């Protein structure tokens, strides 16, 4: 145990590191090192969102560098699972915009999550603070401990033969690197590790994960609005931008005759967050169970970084995770088939039991995909402040 703690202490301070100056400092002769270790200031976790980004569900509360640093360690630490095999970062992978490449994430003992794990890019920059596909968490701070307390995901559920969250808190309190890090993050000695502080640290870290260095942001900053031609876009990308942002013009049979696809009605630029008034998107199956029925899903992550810098899809899409290519999701929205048993479908997709038929051509579908690729940044995939310290 001593050897493990010593190695872990080195990893945390060397890789996560940058822990240092302020009213309360970690002991420079960090106990696991046995010698002085050079300390630096923590990473800067403040937002660099451009001026055109105005939606912020943190209500101007700054991300604290020290708490975010602690949250980073917690986010990647498998000690937060019952059998030390799963971390938050196991299902929210930096190289995939903090999403999961699996249709359903793998938890304890190979158990599968009930829905696809959302990408965590830009959770802060949305009007809707509620989290999860079904909005069951009122905000991010309420959300971050729910996977830890889930019997399938990380196992401190307090159900069956699993211990509750108090068992995890005692476990963390007994790990010397956490007693040091919590004291440092909260700038006092003898800090008790409780659910409030655990949630707060994780929330500060996840709130800091952002992506605003895309070609779209460059074009928007130059033009100042979503309309018009962006000089840094190709003709196909500008066409896709129009299709995304312009509502469709429909005839009396709900068939599109002109206009765009109206995607922006639910996925609102420039944040590309979900409209809080959005209904179900017509995907009403249970994840992993096509025969099951699940109509509670009315939220989605930001549409930013659906694609990675390599042009490949970062993660499967929708709560079922069975949309593996962008062409399949466009095909779904091209004509959402109404279901008499699903009366919660968004009214922008159906009119009662009549489909809204967009009738997108193959060229228009390709143009939409080209535009969505302009929403991809670069920094989120490699920035050390969001990387694993282990």
């Amino acid at each position: 145990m001593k050897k493990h703690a010593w190695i872990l202490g080195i990893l945390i301070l060397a890789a996560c590191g940058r822990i240092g100056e302020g009213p309360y400092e970690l002991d420079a002769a960090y106990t696991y090192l046995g010698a002085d270790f050079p300390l630096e200031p923590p990473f800067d976790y403040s937002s660099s969102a451009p001026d055109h980004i105005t939606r912020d569900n943190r209500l101007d509360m700054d991300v604290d560098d020290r708490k975010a640093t602690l949250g980073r360690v917690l986010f990647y630490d498998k000690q937060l699972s019952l059998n030390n095999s799963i971390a938050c970062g196991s299902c929210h992978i930096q190289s995939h915009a903090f999403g999961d490449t699996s249709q359903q994430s793998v938890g304890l003992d190979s158990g599968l999550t009930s829905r696809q794990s959302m990408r965590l890019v830009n959770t802060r920059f949305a009007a809707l603070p509620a989290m999860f596909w079904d909005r069951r968490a009122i905000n991010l701070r309420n959300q971050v401990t729910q996977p830890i307390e889930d019997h399938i995901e990380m196992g401190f559920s307090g159900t069956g033969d699993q211990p509750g969250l108090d068992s995890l808190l005692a476990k963390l309190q007994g790990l010397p690197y956490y007693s040091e890090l919590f004291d440092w993050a909260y700038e006092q000695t003898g800090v008790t590790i409780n659910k409030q502080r655990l949630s707060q640290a994780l929330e500060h870290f996840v709130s800091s994960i952002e992506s605003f260095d895309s070609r779209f942001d460059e074009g928007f900053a130059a033009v100042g609005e979503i309309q018009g031609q962006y000089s840094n876009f190709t003709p196909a990308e500008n066409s896709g931008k129009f299709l995304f942002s312009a509502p469709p013009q429909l005839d009396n049979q709900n068939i599109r005759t002109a206009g765009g696809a109206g995607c922006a009605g639910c996925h609102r630029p420039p944040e590309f967050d979900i409209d809080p008034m959005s209904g179900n998107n017509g995907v009403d199956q249970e994840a992993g169970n096509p025969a099951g029925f699940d109509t509670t899903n009315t939220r989605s992550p930001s549409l930013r970084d659906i694609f990675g810098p390599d042009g490949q899809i970062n993660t499967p899409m929708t709560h079922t995770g069975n949309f593996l290519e962008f062409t399949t999701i466009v095909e779904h929205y091209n004509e959402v088939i109404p279901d008499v048993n699903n009366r919660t479908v968004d009214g922008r997709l159906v009119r009662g039991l009549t489909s809204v038929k967009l009738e997108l051509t193959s060229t228009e579908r390709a143009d939409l995909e080209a535009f969505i690729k302009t929403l991809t940044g670069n920094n989120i995939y490699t920035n050390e402040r969001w990387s694993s310290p282990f």
Side-chain angles (χ1 to χ4, degrees):
M1 183 64 185
K2 277 188 176 180
K3 182 178 179 182
H4 173 72
W6 182 82
I7 293 172
L8 196 49
I10 290 176
L11 286 172
I12 289 172
L13 285 180
C16 172
R18 310 181 75 91
I19 295 173
E21 300 169 1
Y24 181 84
E25 298 183 12
L26 282 177
D27 186 356
Y30 196 67
T31 53
Y32 305 134
L33 300 175
D36 287 348
F37 189 86
L39 302 178
E40 299 179 81
F43 283 117
D44 179 2
Y45 282 97
S46 60
S47 175
S48 59
D51 290 341
H52 57 260
I53 299 300
T54 59
R55 299 184 191 115
D56 184 348
N57 56 45
R58 283 183 62 83
L59 302 176
D60 297 323
M61 292 187 293
D62 291 333
V63 170
D64 182 88
D65 294 343
R66 290 183 175 224
K67 291 181 178 67
T69 299
L70 169 60
R72 178 186 172 209
V73 180
L74 291 162
F75 185 87
Y76 285 106
D77 195 346
K78 294 181 179 180
Q79 296 272 355
L80 270 69
S81 64
L82 185 58
N83 62 2
N84 304 326
S85 66
I86 304 291
C88 304
S90 301
C91 302
H92 298 284
I93 304 164
Q94 183 179 16
S95 59
H96 292 278
F98 290 90
D100 196 348
T101 57
S102 300
Q103 290 178 258
Q104 293 170 264
S105 296
V106 179
L108 295 173
D109 302 319
S110 301
L112 297 178
T113 56
S114 60
R115 295 181 177 93
Q116 210 275 334
S117 293
M118 276 191 177
R119 286 171 293 111
L120 295 181
V121 54
N122 290 5
T123 59
R124 171 179 180 174
F125 301 99
L128 184 68
M131 295 294 292
F132 294 117
W133 295 98
D134 59 6
R135 310 190 189 192
R136 67 184 183 273
I138 60 172
N139 55 33
L140 181 59
R141 189 168 300 184
N142 179 258
Q143 182 271 333
V144 288
T145 57
Q146 290 194 36
I148 299 171
E149 296 177 274
D150 187 88
H151 69 287
I152 291 174
E153 296 186 50
M154 298 174 76
F156 286 96
S157 69
T159 62
D161 60 353
Q162 291 181 345
L165 188 67
D166 286 348
S167 179
L168 171 64
L169 298 174
K171 177 182 179 181
L172 298 182
Q173 195 80 55
L175 295 172
Y177 59 94
Y178 277 124
S179 60
E180 293 271 6
L181 283 169
F182 271 87
D183 282 1
W184 173 77
Y186 284 90
E187 302 185 56
Q188 55 185 288
T189 57
V191 168
T192 299
I193 301 176
N194 56 27
K195 183 175 182 177
Q196 178 184 3
R197 294 188 177 108
L198 174 68
S199 301
Q200 187 179 55
L202 282 167
E203 183 260 344
H204 274 257
F205 174 69
V206 176
S207 289
S208 77
I209 298 171
E210 63 182 33
S211 181
F212 293 116
D213 60 337
S214 70
R215 291 176 51 242
F216 169 80
D217 291 297
E218 178 186 348
F220 192 101
V223 175
E225 60 178 2
I226 189 72
Q227 307 300 330
Q229 299 290 298
Y230 288 7
S231 62
N232 64 326
F233 276 22
T234 66
E237 291 164 349
N238 272 310
S239 171
K241 180 166 65 67
F242 167 79
L243 288 165
F244 185 94
S245 58
Q249 298 177 26
L250 306 174
D251 64 16
N252 57 11
Q253 294 180 309
N254 294 320
I255 298 173
R256 172 176 163 257
T257 57
C263 313
C266 293
H267 304 282
R268 307 173 306 170
E271 289 84 1
F272 298 92
D273 66 327
I274 191 71
D275 173 15
M277 301 305 294
S278 296
N280 178 265
N281 66 351
V283 180
D284 51 21
Q285 300 172 350
E286 292 179 350
N289 179 22
F293 202 57
D294 183 1
T295 65
T296 63
N297 304 289
T298 58
R299 194 196 187 286
S300 80
S302 168
L303 297 193
R304 288 172 176 269
D305 292 273
I306 286 179
F307 290 91
D310 60 358
Q312 300 300 306
I313 288 285
N314 270 320
T315 67
M317 291 164 285
T318 80
H319 75 277
T320 62
N322 61 353
F323 291 85
L324 306 180
E325 297 178 350
F326 193 75
T327 52
T328 61
I329 199 72
V330 173
E331 177 60 30
H332 169 74
Y333 287 116
N334 198 33
E335 182 179 353
V336 174
I337 306 300
D339 187 326
V340 68
N341 296 311
N342 182 5
R343 295 304 182 94
T344 62
V345 178
D346 194 285
R348 288 162 284 200
L349 304 175
V350 299
R351 302 288 191 271
L353 291 177
T354 303
S355 297
V356 171
K357 299 179 177 67
L358 296 177
E359 308 225 332
L360 297 167
T361 67
S362 58
T363 298
E364 288 175 324
R365 298 181 198 196
D367 290 351
L368 267 174
E369 179 170 331
F371 170 65
I372 294 298
K373 287 180 177 178
T374 71
L375 307 183
T376 294
N378 291 285
N379 188 43
I380 187 175
Y381 301 96
T382 58
N383 194 302
E384 187 182 355
R385 63 179 166 158
W386 298 316
S387 66
S388 174
F390 295 103

